[in-house]
């Protein structure tokens, strides 16, 4: 999990993985600046990598925001 700070709030994002090596995020932290009142299709994209050698197991399966009650969403591509 890494902390993600957006619009003065902090939330944690977890990547799901089921195999030998735990995935790691490419960046130690992700930051975005947004304009209040503006609607965005996407604010930023996180990316994790997996050290497993096999292409079958080196794919990141899912991302999820584990902090509750935040007005953000994340899809399976980390956006």
């Amino acid at each position: 999990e890494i902390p993600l700070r957006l619009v003065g709030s902090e939330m944690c994002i977890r990547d799901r993985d089921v195999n030998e090596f735990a995935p790691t995020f490419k960046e130690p932290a992700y930051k975005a600046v947004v304009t209040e009142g503006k609607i965005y299709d996407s604010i930023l994209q996180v990316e994790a990598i997996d050290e497993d050698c096999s292409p079958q197991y080196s794919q990141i399966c899912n991302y999820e925001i584990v902090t509750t009650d935040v007005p953000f969403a994340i899809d399976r591509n980390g956006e």
Side-chain angles (χ1 to χ4, degrees):
E1 292 179 13
I2 63 164
L4 179 66
R5 295 172 193 241
L6 293 172
V7 193
S9 64
E10 185 174 303
M11 67 182 126
C12 289
I13 297 174
R14 177 184 304 151
D15 49 5
R16 286 195 187 169
D17 184 65
V18 276
N19 50 42
E20 189 175 353
F21 295 101
T24 56
F25 284 94
K26 282 191 145 185
E27 301 295 330
Y30 292 85
K31 295 181 181 182
V33 176
V34 296
T35 302
E36 186 175 351
K38 184 174 179 183
I39 297 175
Y40 295 86
D41 289 331
S42 178
I43 296 173
L44 63 83
Q45 182 172 4
V46 299
E47 185 175 0
I49 55 173
D50 194 321
E51 300 271 334
D52 290 308
C53 294
S54 166
Q56 177 183 357
Y57 297 113
S58 65
Q59 299 295 314
I60 302 301
C61 300
N62 191 29
Y63 295 91
E64 69 177 321
I65 297 174
V66 295
T67 304
T68 58
D69 300 323
V70 293
F72 303 103
I74 192 164
D75 65 17
R76 66 177 315 195
N77 298 316
E79 286 191 75

